[in-house]
PDB file of all heavy atoms in Angstrom:
ATOM      1  N   GLY Z   1       0.811  -1.214   0.000  1.00  0.00           N
ATOM      2  CA  GLY Z   1       0.000   0.000   0.000  1.00  0.00           C
ATOM      3  C   GLY Z   1       0.844   1.264   0.000  1.00  0.00           C
ATOM      4  O   GLY Z   1       0.501   2.249  -0.674  1.00  0.00           O
ATOM      5  N   ARG Z   2       1.947   1.256   0.734  1.00  0.00           N
ATOM      6  CA  ARG Z   2       2.825   2.438   0.755  1.00  0.00           C
ATOM      7  C   ARG Z   2       3.472   2.655  -0.612  1.00  0.00           C
ATOM      8  O   ARG Z   2       3.605   3.801  -1.068  1.00  0.00           O
ATOM      9  CB  ARG Z   2       3.901   2.278   1.839  1.00  0.00           C
ATOM     10  CG  ARG Z   2       3.344   2.249   3.264  1.00  0.00           C
ATOM     11  CD  ARG Z   2       4.444   2.464   4.288  1.00  0.00           C
ATOM     12  NE  ARG Z   2       5.476   1.435   4.248  1.00  0.00           N
ATOM     13  CZ  ARG Z   2       5.434   0.280   4.903  1.00  0.00           C
ATOM     14  NH1 ARG Z   2       4.362  -0.018   5.635  1.00  0.00           N
ATOM     15  NH2 ARG Z   2       6.437  -0.579   4.833  1.00  0.00           N
ATOM     16  N   ILE Z   3       3.879   1.569  -1.242  1.00  0.00           N
ATOM     17  CA  ILE Z   3       4.474   1.696  -2.580  1.00  0.00           C
ATOM     18  C   ILE Z   3       3.442   2.237  -3.564  1.00  0.00           C
ATOM     19  O   ILE Z   3       3.743   3.141  -4.360  1.00  0.00           O
ATOM     20  CB  ILE Z   3       5.024   0.338  -3.054  1.00  0.00           C
ATOM     21  CG1 ILE Z   3       6.182  -0.108  -2.164  1.00  0.00           C
ATOM     22  CG2 ILE Z   3       5.459   0.411  -4.519  1.00  0.00           C
ATOM     23  CD1 ILE Z   3       6.621  -1.543  -2.399  1.00  0.00           C
ATOM     24  N   GLU Z   4       2.230   1.715  -3.505  1.00  0.00           N
ATOM     25  CA  GLU Z   4       1.183   2.195  -4.413  1.00  0.00           C
ATOM     26  C   GLU Z   4       0.923   3.685  -4.202  1.00  0.00           C
ATOM     27  O   GLU Z   4       0.764   4.443  -5.173  1.00  0.00           O
ATOM     28  CB  GLU Z   4      -0.109   1.411  -4.206  1.00  0.00           C
ATOM     29  CG  GLU Z   4      -1.238   1.883  -5.111  1.00  0.00           C
ATOM     30  CD  GLU Z   4      -2.512   1.084  -4.970  1.00  0.00           C
ATOM     31  OE1 GLU Z   4      -2.466  -0.051  -4.468  1.00  0.00           O
ATOM     32  OE2 GLU Z   4      -3.577   1.614  -5.375  1.00  0.00           O
ATOM     33  N   ALA Z   5       0.902   4.130  -2.957  1.00  0.00           N
ATOM     34  CA  ALA Z   5       0.663   5.551  -2.676  1.00  0.00           C
ATOM     35  C   ALA Z   5       1.771   6.409  -3.270  1.00  0.00           C
ATOM     36  O   ALA Z   5       1.508   7.483  -3.838  1.00  0.00           O
ATOM     37  CB  ALA Z   5       0.553   5.768  -1.169  1.00  0.00           C
ATOM     38  N   ARG Z   6       3.036   5.950  -3.131  1.00  0.00           N
ATOM     39  CA  ARG Z   6       4.164   6.711  -3.707  1.00  0.00           C
ATOM     40  C   ARG Z   6       4.061   6.771  -5.226  1.00  0.00           C
ATOM     41  O   ARG Z   6       4.323   7.822  -5.832  1.00  0.00           O
ATOM     42  CB  ARG Z   6       5.484   6.053  -3.299  1.00  0.00           C
ATOM     43  CG  ARG Z   6       5.855   6.177  -1.834  1.00  0.00           C
ATOM     44  CD  ARG Z   6       6.284   7.598  -1.464  1.00  0.00           C
ATOM     45  NE  ARG Z   6       6.824   7.643  -0.118  1.00  0.00           N
ATOM     46  CZ  ARG Z   6       8.109   7.722   0.199  1.00  0.00           C
ATOM     47  NH1 ARG Z   6       9.014   7.772  -0.775  1.00  0.00           N
ATOM     48  NH2 ARG Z   6       8.510   7.758   1.450  1.00  0.00           N
ATOM     49  N   VAL Z   7       3.701   5.656  -5.842  1.00  0.00           N
ATOM     50  CA  VAL Z   7       3.594   5.619  -7.300  1.00  0.00           C
ATOM     51  C   VAL Z   7       2.483   6.541  -7.785  1.00  0.00           C
ATOM     52  O   VAL Z   7       2.667   7.318  -8.738  1.00  0.00           O
ATOM     53  CB  VAL Z   7       3.349   4.171  -7.779  1.00  0.00           C
ATOM     54  CG1 VAL Z   7       2.958   4.156  -9.258  1.00  0.00           C
ATOM     55  CG2 VAL Z   7       4.590   3.318  -7.545  1.00  0.00           C
ATOM     56  N   ARG Z   8       1.333   6.480  -7.129  1.00  0.00           N
ATOM     57  CA  ARG Z   8       0.228   7.355  -7.527  1.00  0.00           C
ATOM     58  C   ARG Z   8       0.607   8.823  -7.329  1.00  0.00           C
ATOM     59  O   ARG Z   8       0.244   9.680  -8.149  1.00  0.00           O
ATOM     60  CB  ARG Z   8      -1.031   7.005  -6.733  1.00  0.00           C
ATOM     61  CG  ARG Z   8      -1.658   5.669  -7.146  1.00  0.00           C
ATOM     62  CD  ARG Z   8      -2.976   5.422  -6.424  1.00  0.00           C
ATOM     63  NE  ARG Z   8      -3.582   4.144  -6.772  1.00  0.00           N
ATOM     64  CZ  ARG Z   8      -4.346   3.942  -7.831  1.00  0.00           C
ATOM     65  NH1 ARG Z   8      -4.613   4.953  -8.663  1.00  0.00           N
ATOM     66  NH2 ARG Z   8      -4.866   2.747  -8.082  1.00  0.00           N
ATOM     67  N   GLY Z   9       1.344   9.105  -6.274  1.00  0.00           N
ATOM     68  CA  GLY Z   9       1.791  10.473  -6.049  1.00  0.00           C
ATOM     69  C   GLY Z   9       2.732  10.948  -7.142  1.00  0.00           C
ATOM     70  O   GLY Z   9       2.632  12.086  -7.615  1.00  0.00           O
ATOM     71  N   TYR Z  10       3.649  10.076  -7.564  1.00  0.00           N
ATOM     72  CA  TYR Z  10       4.576  10.419  -8.641  1.00  0.00           C
ATOM     73  C   TYR Z  10       3.816  10.712  -9.933  1.00  0.00           C
ATOM     74  O   TYR Z  10       4.111  11.701 -10.631  1.00  0.00           O
ATOM     75  CB  TYR Z  10       5.561   9.268  -8.868  1.00  0.00           C
ATOM     76  CG  TYR Z  10       6.470   9.465 -10.050  1.00  0.00           C
ATOM     77  CD1 TYR Z  10       7.658  10.168  -9.928  1.00  0.00           C
ATOM     78  CD2 TYR Z  10       6.135   8.952 -11.310  1.00  0.00           C
ATOM     79  CE1 TYR Z  10       8.497  10.361 -11.032  1.00  0.00           C
ATOM     80  CE2 TYR Z  10       6.963   9.138 -12.405  1.00  0.00           C
ATOM     81  CZ  TYR Z  10       8.136   9.840 -12.263  1.00  0.00           C
ATOM     82  OH  TYR Z  10       8.958  10.041 -13.361  1.00  0.00           O
ATOM     83  N   LEU Z  11       2.865   9.866 -10.260  1.00  0.00           N
ATOM     84  CA  LEU Z  11       2.099  10.064 -11.495  1.00  0.00           C
ATOM     85  C   LEU Z  11       1.294  11.362 -11.443  1.00  0.00           C
ATOM     86  O   LEU Z  11       1.234  12.111 -12.429  1.00  0.00           O
ATOM     87  CB  LEU Z  11       1.177   8.875 -11.730  1.00  0.00           C
ATOM     88  CG  LEU Z  11       1.889   7.546 -12.017  1.00  0.00           C
ATOM     89  CD1 LEU Z  11       0.900   6.384 -11.974  1.00  0.00           C
ATOM     90  CD2 LEU Z  11       2.607   7.582 -13.364  1.00  0.00           C
ATOM     91  N   ALA Z  12       0.702  11.651 -10.295  1.00  0.00           N
ATOM     92  CA  ALA Z  12      -0.061  12.902 -10.152  1.00  0.00           C
ATOM     93  C   ALA Z  12       0.863  14.111 -10.276  1.00  0.00           C
ATOM     94  O   ALA Z  12       0.520  15.106 -10.937  1.00  0.00           O
ATOM     95  CB  ALA Z  12      -0.790  12.915  -8.819  1.00  0.00           C
ATOM     96  N   ASP Z  13       2.028  14.036  -9.643  1.00  0.00           N
ATOM     97  CA  ASP Z  13       2.975  15.157  -9.691  1.00  0.00           C
ATOM     98  C   ASP Z  13       3.489  15.413 -11.097  1.00  0.00           C
ATOM     99  O   ASP Z  13       3.948  16.527 -11.405  1.00  0.00           O
ATOM    100  CB  ASP Z  13       4.158  14.889  -8.759  1.00  0.00           C
ATOM    101  CG  ASP Z  13       3.774  14.944  -7.291  1.00  0.00           C
ATOM    102  OD1 ASP Z  13       2.690  15.478  -6.972  1.00  0.00           O
ATOM    103  OD2 ASP Z  13       4.556  14.440  -6.455  1.00  0.00           O
ATOM    104  N   ASN Z  14       3.451  14.372 -11.950  1.00  0.00           N
ATOM    105  CA  ASN Z  14       3.930  14.508 -13.329  1.00  0.00           C
ATOM    106  C   ASN Z  14       2.786  14.600 -14.333  1.00  0.00           C
ATOM    107  O   ASN Z  14       2.978  14.345 -15.528  1.00  0.00           O
ATOM    108  CB  ASN Z  14       4.862  13.342 -13.665  1.00  0.00           C
ATOM    109  CG  ASN Z  14       6.222  13.475 -13.001  1.00  0.00           C
ATOM    110  OD1 ASN Z  14       7.107  14.138 -13.535  1.00  0.00           O
ATOM    111  ND2 ASN Z  14       6.377  12.888 -11.831  1.00  0.00           N
ATOM    112  N   ASP Z  15       1.612  14.998 -13.834  1.00  0.00           N
ATOM    113  CA  ASP Z  15       0.464  15.329 -14.685  1.00  0.00           C
ATOM    114  C   ASP Z  15      -0.098  14.163 -15.478  1.00  0.00           C
ATOM    115  O   ASP Z  15      -0.634  14.336 -16.583  1.00  0.00           O
ATOM    116  CB  ASP Z  15       0.827  16.481 -15.647  1.00  0.00           C
ATOM    117  CG  ASP Z  15       1.223  17.742 -14.917  1.00  0.00           C
ATOM    118  OD1 ASP Z  15       0.606  18.043 -13.887  1.00  0.00           O
ATOM    119  OD2 ASP Z  15       2.172  18.410 -15.356  1.00  0.00           O
ATOM    120  N   PHE Z  16       0.006  12.964 -14.915  1.00  0.00           N
ATOM    121  CA  PHE Z  16      -0.655  11.819 -15.539  1.00  0.00           C
ATOM    122  C   PHE Z  16      -2.094  11.733 -15.060  1.00  0.00           C
ATOM    123  O   PHE Z  16      -2.383  11.923 -13.873  1.00  0.00           O
ATOM    124  CB  PHE Z  16       0.073  10.516 -15.186  1.00  0.00           C
ATOM    125  CG  PHE Z  16       1.354  10.302 -15.946  1.00  0.00           C
ATOM    126  CD1 PHE Z  16       2.563  10.764 -15.434  1.00  0.00           C
ATOM    127  CD2 PHE Z  16       1.352   9.652 -17.167  1.00  0.00           C
ATOM    128  CE1 PHE Z  16       3.749  10.568 -16.124  1.00  0.00           C
ATOM    129  CE2 PHE Z  16       2.535   9.450 -17.873  1.00  0.00           C
ATOM    130  CZ  PHE Z  16       3.738   9.920 -17.352  1.00  0.00           C
ATOM    131  N   LEU Z  17      -2.980  11.437 -15.979  1.00  0.00           N
ATOM    132  CA  LEU Z  17      -4.380  11.211 -15.661  1.00  0.00           C
ATOM    133  C   LEU Z  17      -4.586   9.713 -15.478  1.00  0.00           C
ATOM    134  O   LEU Z  17      -4.273   8.922 -16.369  1.00  0.00           O
ATOM    135  CB  LEU Z  17      -5.259  11.726 -16.800  1.00  0.00           C
ATOM    136  CG  LEU Z  17      -6.774  11.512 -16.669  1.00  0.00           C
ATOM    137  CD1 LEU Z  17      -7.324  12.317 -15.495  1.00  0.00           C
ATOM    138  CD2 LEU Z  17      -7.459  11.904 -17.979  1.00  0.00           C
ATOM    139  N   MET Z  18      -5.093   9.299 -14.306  1.00  0.00           N
ATOM    140  CA  MET Z  18      -5.364   7.886 -14.075  1.00  0.00           C
ATOM    141  C   MET Z  18      -6.649   7.496 -14.801  1.00  0.00           C
ATOM    142  O   MET Z  18      -7.689   8.145 -14.637  1.00  0.00           O
ATOM    143  CB  MET Z  18      -5.499   7.598 -12.584  1.00  0.00           C
ATOM    144  CG  MET Z  18      -4.229   7.827 -11.772  1.00  0.00           C
ATOM    145  SD  MET Z  18      -2.812   6.798 -12.285  1.00  0.00           S
ATOM    146  CE  MET Z  18      -3.406   5.137 -11.906  1.00  0.00           C
ATOM    147  N   VAL Z  19      -6.552   6.449 -15.626  1.00  0.00           N
ATOM    148  CA  VAL Z  19      -7.713   5.958 -16.381  1.00  0.00           C
ATOM    149  C   VAL Z  19      -8.009   4.520 -15.951  1.00  0.00           C
ATOM    150  O   VAL Z  19      -7.193   3.860 -15.319  1.00  0.00           O
ATOM    151  CB  VAL Z  19      -7.461   6.054 -17.905  1.00  0.00           C
ATOM    152  CG1 VAL Z  19      -7.215   7.497 -18.318  1.00  0.00           C
ATOM    153  CG2 VAL Z  19      -6.288   5.170 -18.330  1.00  0.00           C
ATOM    154  N   ASP Z  20      -9.178   4.034 -16.316  1.00  0.00           N
ATOM    155  CA  ASP Z  20      -9.637   2.725 -15.848  1.00  0.00           C
ATOM    156  C   ASP Z  20     -10.177   1.914 -17.022  1.00  0.00           C
ATOM    157  O   ASP Z  20     -11.387   1.816 -17.222  1.00  0.00           O
ATOM    158  CB  ASP Z  20     -10.710   2.919 -14.775  1.00  0.00           C
ATOM    159  CG  ASP Z  20     -11.109   1.623 -14.099  1.00  0.00           C
ATOM    160  OD1 ASP Z  20     -10.357   0.639 -14.211  1.00  0.00           O
ATOM    161  OD2 ASP Z  20     -12.182   1.591 -13.457  1.00  0.00           O
ATOM    162  N   PRO Z  21      -9.294   1.300 -17.818  1.00  0.00           N
ATOM    163  CA  PRO Z  21      -9.748   0.545 -18.998  1.00  0.00           C
ATOM    164  C   PRO Z  21     -10.508  -0.715 -18.587  1.00  0.00           C
ATOM    165  O   PRO Z  21     -10.222  -1.316 -17.548  1.00  0.00           O
ATOM    166  CB  PRO Z  21      -8.439   0.179 -19.705  1.00  0.00           C
ATOM    167  CG  PRO Z  21      -7.397   1.071 -19.104  1.00  0.00           C
ATOM    168  CD  PRO Z  21      -7.840   1.325 -17.703  1.00  0.00           C
ATOM    169  N   PRO Z  22     -11.453  -1.153 -19.402  1.00  0.00           N
ATOM    170  CA  PRO Z  22     -12.189  -2.392 -19.094  1.00  0.00           C
ATOM    171  C   PRO Z  22     -11.326  -3.621 -19.337  1.00  0.00           C
ATOM    172  O   PRO Z  22     -10.508  -3.661 -20.262  1.00  0.00           O
ATOM    173  CB  PRO Z  22     -13.365  -2.347 -20.072  1.00  0.00           C
ATOM    174  CG  PRO Z  22     -12.845  -1.565 -21.241  1.00  0.00           C
ATOM    175  CD  PRO Z  22     -11.922  -0.530 -20.657  1.00  0.00           C
ATOM    176  N   GLY Z  23     -11.537  -4.637 -18.512  1.00  0.00           N
ATOM    177  CA  GLY Z  23     -10.807  -5.882 -18.699  1.00  0.00           C
ATOM    178  C   GLY Z  23     -11.371  -6.737 -19.815  1.00  0.00           C
ATOM    179  O   GLY Z  23     -10.662  -7.531 -20.425  1.00  0.00           O
ATOM    180  N   LEU Z  24     -12.643  -6.589 -20.120  1.00  0.00           N
ATOM    181  CA  LEU Z  24     -13.323  -7.420 -21.118  1.00  0.00           C
ATOM    182  C   LEU Z  24     -13.122  -6.820 -22.510  1.00  0.00           C
ATOM    183  O   LEU Z  24     -13.475  -5.666 -22.753  1.00  0.00           O
ATOM    184  CB  LEU Z  24     -14.811  -7.500 -20.771  1.00  0.00           C
ATOM    185  CG  LEU Z  24     -15.617  -8.668 -21.337  1.00  0.00           C
ATOM    186  CD1 LEU Z  24     -15.041 -10.001 -20.892  1.00  0.00           C
ATOM    187  CD2 LEU Z  24     -17.076  -8.533 -20.926  1.00  0.00           C
ATOM    188  N   GLN Z  25     -12.574  -7.623 -23.419  1.00  0.00           N
ATOM    189  CA  GLN Z  25     -12.195  -7.123 -24.738  1.00  0.00           C
ATOM    190  C   GLN Z  25     -12.539  -8.131 -25.831  1.00  0.00           C
ATOM    191  O   GLN Z  25     -12.636  -9.331 -25.581  1.00  0.00           O
ATOM    192  CB  GLN Z  25     -10.680  -6.858 -24.783  1.00  0.00           C
ATOM    193  CG  GLN Z  25     -10.182  -5.831 -23.792  1.00  0.00           C
ATOM    194  CD  GLN Z  25     -10.529  -4.409 -24.190  1.00  0.00           C
ATOM    195  OE1 GLN Z  25     -10.685  -4.110 -25.376  1.00  0.00           O
ATOM    196  NE2 GLN Z  25     -10.623  -3.525 -23.200  1.00  0.00           N
ATOM    197  N   ARG Z  26     -12.685  -7.628 -27.068  1.00  0.00           N
ATOM    198  CA  ARG Z  26     -12.856  -8.530 -28.212  1.00  0.00           C
ATOM    199  C   ARG Z  26     -11.549  -9.248 -28.546  1.00  0.00           C
ATOM    200  O   ARG Z  26     -11.556 -10.371 -29.041  1.00  0.00           O
ATOM    201  CB  ARG Z  26     -13.331  -7.751 -29.441  1.00  0.00           C
ATOM    202  CG  ARG Z  26     -14.780  -7.295 -29.369  1.00  0.00           C
ATOM    203  CD  ARG Z  26     -15.276  -6.855 -30.735  1.00  0.00           C
ATOM    204  NE  ARG Z  26     -16.674  -6.468 -30.703  1.00  0.00           N
ATOM    205  CZ  ARG Z  26     -17.093  -5.226 -30.507  1.00  0.00           C
ATOM    206  NH1 ARG Z  26     -16.213  -4.256 -30.332  1.00  0.00           N
ATOM    207  NH2 ARG Z  26     -18.389  -4.954 -30.478  1.00  0.00           N
ATOM    208  N   SER Z  27     -10.430  -8.566 -28.322  1.00  0.00           N
ATOM    209  CA  SER Z  27      -9.114  -9.176 -28.535  1.00  0.00           C
ATOM    210  C   SER Z  27      -8.277  -8.943 -27.289  1.00  0.00           C
ATOM    211  O   SER Z  27      -8.186  -7.809 -26.808  1.00  0.00           O
ATOM    212  CB  SER Z  27      -8.422  -8.569 -29.754  1.00  0.00           C
ATOM    213  OG  SER Z  27      -7.096  -9.091 -29.877  1.00  0.00           O
ATOM    214  N   PRO Z  28      -7.632  -9.995 -26.783  1.00  0.00           N
ATOM    215  CA  PRO Z  28      -6.862  -9.828 -25.555  1.00  0.00           C
ATOM    216  C   PRO Z  28      -5.445  -9.347 -25.781  1.00  0.00           C
ATOM    217  O   PRO Z  28      -4.686  -9.121 -24.842  1.00  0.00           O
ATOM    218  CB  PRO Z  28      -6.841 -11.248 -24.986  1.00  0.00           C
ATOM    219  CG  PRO Z  28      -6.796 -12.111 -26.212  1.00  0.00           C
ATOM    220  CD  PRO Z  28      -7.656 -11.396 -27.236  1.00  0.00           C
ATOM    221  N   GLY Z  29      -5.057  -9.192 -27.048  1.00  0.00           N
ATOM    222  CA  GLY Z  29      -3.671  -8.929 -27.419  1.00  0.00           C
ATOM    223  C   GLY Z  29      -3.263  -9.965 -28.447  1.00  0.00           C
ATOM    224  O   GLY Z  29      -3.850 -11.052 -28.525  1.00  0.00           O
ATOM    225  N   ASN Z  30      -2.265  -9.645 -29.258  1.00  0.00           N
ATOM    226  CA  ASN Z  30      -1.936 -10.519 -30.383  1.00  0.00           C
ATOM    227  C   ASN Z  30      -0.454 -10.877 -30.423  1.00  0.00           C
ATOM    228  O   ASN Z  30       0.184 -10.802 -31.473  1.00  0.00           O
ATOM    229  CB  ASN Z  30      -2.359  -9.867 -31.696  1.00  0.00           C
ATOM    230  CG  ASN Z  30      -3.851  -9.657 -31.792  1.00  0.00           C
ATOM    231  OD1 ASN Z  30      -4.344  -8.546 -31.665  1.00  0.00           O
ATOM    232  ND2 ASN Z  30      -4.592 -10.738 -32.003  1.00  0.00           N
ATOM    233  N   GLU Z  31       0.083 -11.281 -29.287  1.00  0.00           N
ATOM    234  CA  GLU Z  31       1.454 -11.769 -29.243  1.00  0.00           C
ATOM    235  C   GLU Z  31       1.439 -13.288 -29.121  1.00  0.00           C
ATOM    236  O   GLU Z  31       0.619 -13.866 -28.395  1.00  0.00           O
ATOM    237  CB  GLU Z  31       2.210 -11.125 -28.078  1.00  0.00           C
ATOM    238  CG  GLU Z  31       2.385  -9.618 -28.257  1.00  0.00           C
ATOM    239  CD  GLU Z  31       3.204  -8.981 -27.146  1.00  0.00           C
ATOM    240  OE1 GLU Z  31       4.281  -9.520 -26.823  1.00  0.00           O
ATOM    241  OE2 GLU Z  31       2.754  -7.960 -26.587  1.00  0.00           O
ATOM    242  N   THR Z  32       2.360 -13.933 -29.796  1.00  0.00           N
ATOM    243  CA  THR Z  32       2.358 -15.389 -29.925  1.00  0.00           C
ATOM    244  C   THR Z  32       2.249 -16.112 -28.594  1.00  0.00           C
ATOM    245  O   THR Z  32       1.449 -17.041 -28.431  1.00  0.00           O
ATOM    246  CB  THR Z  32       3.634 -15.853 -30.651  1.00  0.00           C
ATOM    247  OG1 THR Z  32       3.675 -15.271 -31.961  1.00  0.00           O
ATOM    248  CG2 THR Z  32       3.655 -17.375 -30.781  1.00  0.00           C
ATOM    249  N   HIS Z  33       3.055 -15.712 -27.620  1.00  0.00           N
ATOM    250  CA  HIS Z  33       3.191 -16.497 -26.399  1.00  0.00           C
ATOM    251  C   HIS Z  33       2.362 -15.957 -25.231  1.00  0.00           C
ATOM    252  O   HIS Z  33       2.543 -16.419 -24.096  1.00  0.00           O
ATOM    253  CB  HIS Z  33       4.667 -16.585 -26.011  1.00  0.00           C
ATOM    254  CG  HIS Z  33       5.530 -17.166 -27.088  1.00  0.00           C
ATOM    255  ND1 HIS Z  33       5.436 -18.481 -27.489  1.00  0.00           N
ATOM    256  CD2 HIS Z  33       6.485 -16.592 -27.876  1.00  0.00           C
ATOM    257  CE1 HIS Z  33       6.305 -18.699 -28.471  1.00  0.00           C
ATOM    258  NE2 HIS Z  33       6.949 -17.578 -28.716  1.00  0.00           N
ATOM    259  N   LEU Z  34       1.485 -15.006 -25.489  1.00  0.00           N
ATOM    260  CA  LEU Z  34       0.568 -14.550 -24.456  1.00  0.00           C
ATOM    261  C   LEU Z  34      -0.754 -15.297 -24.606  1.00  0.00           C
ATOM    262  O   LEU Z  34      -1.343 -15.319 -25.688  1.00  0.00           O
ATOM    263  CB  LEU Z  34       0.331 -13.038 -24.550  1.00  0.00           C
ATOM    264  CG  LEU Z  34       1.498 -12.143 -24.158  1.00  0.00           C
ATOM    265  CD1 LEU Z  34       1.081 -10.680 -24.191  1.00  0.00           C
ATOM    266  CD2 LEU Z  34       2.046 -12.506 -22.785  1.00  0.00           C
TER     267      LEU Z  34
END
């Protein structure tokens, strides 16, 4: 939890917008070994 708080603070300080993409997709990715 402390690490997550530091990371979120760093992203906020550097003007990153936190987004929440959906997990459910038509394609999960197209790499051979995933």
